[in-house]
Amino acid sequence: MRRGWKMALSGGLRCCRRVLSWVPVLVIVLVVLWSYYAYVFELCLVIYLILYHAIFVFFAWTYWKSIFTLPQQPNQKFHLSYTDKERYENEERPEVQKQMLFDMAKKLPVYTRTGSGAVRFCDRCHLIKPDRCHHCSVCAMCVLKMDHHCPWVNNCIGFSNYKFFLQFLAYSVLYCLYIATTVFSYFIKYWRGELPSVRSKFHVLFLLFVACMFFVSLVILFGYHCWLVSRNKTTLEAFCTPVFTSGPEKNGFNLGFIKNIQQVFGDNKKFWLIPIGSSPGDGHSFPMRSMNESQNPLLANEEPWEDNEDDSQDYPEGSSSLAVETET
């Protein structure tokens, strides 16, 4: 009886958490809808409406894609087979388990390791993690090229939707900037007492305040992610240097400025501003910076690099500007 009550309580808490996770998204949607109403119907700045709607459409489109593009998970070949899983779980010696994972990883394009030099393995999803893949504790899944979990889109940002997230930030900045600059002249009129409508005064003040407030925070976040793209890093890799078979290398995926951008947006520049999937590859393996043949993990099969760190720890949820990183 008590066990059934605990299971019911646990299920209720999970349901509440799932519902509450949509609250930040709802807040953003309500603010945007209000800004649309205030700008289009209250101020009715006719000469600005064409460009405003063009920006608004791309802003809403990229936000939708960031929210509803599902995170991509590793394919089946990275999962342990039923037999391997049974062998691994029944083995009590850690060194033997470690060697078993090494033997399984030889057949896979995996070149990054934990801090202690072991193969990166997720004991929740029972799979060998591809390079740049991490487990998100919020989504309860391993996500390819995971960057962070963002509460403002209630989704995990990774290989499948990182381009859309960057575009969303860019169009958000442009949206706030456009509103602030076009409303500013009406703010001057309000300051001089030239606005007859009390309701218009409220919308002018609040529009300018909200636009400037979001503009500042979004510019900082967008600038940070532009820096990450220019270095071909994820947020997690910026905080924790990836470890290869030859040792830690903070610029291990840095291919040069142009190629780094192409790793996110693709080779065809006409798709760079449109929220259409164009990132190269399948998210399971990535080109790495040129190294000497003896150090290149693509060409050498070296002994694991030793250190006293471990990549199997859980990272608690933490905020970075408008984003939250949660991974293992």
Side-chain angles (χ1 to χ4, degrees):
M1 182 68 178
R2 182 178 297 179
R3 183 178 179 182
W5 180 81
K6 288 183 178 180
M7 291 179 63
L9 179 60
S10 177
L13 290 175
R14 284 197 302 270
C15 183
C16 291
R17 181 179 179 181
R18 195 176 300 115
V19 172
L20 291 175
S21 65
W22 285 99
V23 171
V25 177
L26 181 61
V27 171
I28 295 296
V29 170
L30 291 176
V31 171
V32 171
L33 290 178
W34 166 81
S35 69
Y36 183 88
Y37 166 78
Y39 195 93
V40 175
F41 296 100
E42 289 294 333
L43 300 182
C44 197
L45 309 177
V46 179
I47 59 175
Y48 301 128
L49 287 183
I50 296 177
L51 185 55
Y52 170 82
H53 278 96
I55 298 173
F56 181 82
V57 166
F58 276 94
F59 164 76
W61 189 5
T62 55
Y63 191 43
W64 175 275
K65 294 284 285 186
S66 299
I67 294 173
F68 295 106
T69 300
L70 297 177
Q72 191 170 339
Q73 302 178 62
N75 61 32
Q76 196 60 38
K77 72 178 182 179
F78 287 87
H79 289 257
L80 266 61
S81 66
Y82 179 80
T83 303
D84 290 336
K85 180 181 175 183
E86 288 289 316
R87 287 175 51 223
Y88 181 83
E89 292 179 345
N90 291 333
E91 179 57 59
E92 297 180 354
R93 293 168 295 178
E95 65 278 5
V96 177
Q97 287 183 323
K98 184 176 180 180
Q99 186 58 46
M100 290 171 61
L101 293 178
F102 266 113
D103 294 338
M104 298 174 195
K106 289 179 181 178
K107 306 173 184 178
L108 301 171
V110 176
Y111 308 107
T112 53
R113 298 289 186 260
T114 66
S116 62
V119 171
R120 299 171 62 245
F121 176 73
C122 180
D123 56 2
R124 293 179 177 88
C125 300
H126 302 289
L127 58 81
I128 294 174
K129 297 179 184 177
D131 295 342
R132 316 184 84 173
C133 173
H134 299 274
H135 184 92
C136 177
S137 59
V138 178
C139 297
M141 66 172 70
C142 282
V143 179
L144 293 179
K145 196 185 176 183
M146 179 179 171
D147 188 88
H148 67 280
H149 185 93
C150 180
W152 299 103
V153 299
N154 191 29
N155 200 2
C156 204
I157 306 302
F159 175 77
S160 62
N161 60 356
Y162 187 57
K163 174 188 174 182
F164 307 144
F165 178 74
L166 282 175
Q167 291 172 327
F168 162 63
L169 292 180
Y171 287 118
S172 298
V173 169
L174 186 59
Y175 183 75
C176 293
L177 180 62
Y178 188 78
I179 288 180
T181 52
T182 55
V183 170
F184 186 73
S185 61
Y186 285 81
F187 173 76
I188 298 298
K189 290 181 180 180
Y190 163 77
W191 191 262
R192 294 174 178 174
E194 299 175 4
L195 283 180
S197 173
V198 176
R199 192 168 62 176
S200 295
K201 292 179 181 179
F202 165 77
H203 288 299
V204 166
L205 283 175
F206 206 59
L207 266 177
L208 187 62
F209 171 75
V210 172
C212 291
M213 179 185 66
F214 276 98
F215 175 77
V216 172
S217 58
L218 286 167
V219 161
I220 296 173
L221 184 59
F222 180 60
Y224 175 67
H225 278 279
C226 286
W227 176 80
L228 290 177
V229 171
S230 70
R231 298 292 189 273
N232 199 5
K233 292 183 178 182
T234 64
T235 299
L236 295 175
E237 291 166 354
F239 284 95
C240 185
T241 301
V243 178
F244 297 86
T245 53
S246 56
E249 175 55 60
K250 65 179 181 179
N251 293 316
F253 296 105
N254 192 343
L255 307 175
F257 182 74
I258 298 299
K259 290 184 177 179
N260 289 344
I261 294 176
Q262 291 173 342
Q263 282 294 298
V264 176
F265 293 96
D267 299 330
N268 197 333
K269 294 182 180 179
K270 68 181 181 181
F271 294 131
W272 284 14
L273 301 179
I274 305 174
I276 297 175
S278 59
S279 301
D282 59 1
H284 291 83
S285 59
F286 301 89
M288 286 173 274
R289 191 179 182 187
S290 299
M291 299 179 183
N292 295 329
E293 183 173 338
S294 60
Q295 295 178 323
N296 193 335
L298 287 170
L299 303 175
N301 185 17
E302 300 183 354
E303 291 297 320
W305 183 80
E306 295 294 336
D307 196 5
N308 56 3
E309 299 178 358
D310 195 352
D311 191 49
S312 62
Q313 61 183 335
D314 289 343
Y315 290 82
E317 295 186 31
S319 60
S320 173
S321 207
L322 295 180
V324 174
E325 294 100 40
T326 55
E327 67 92 27
T328 60

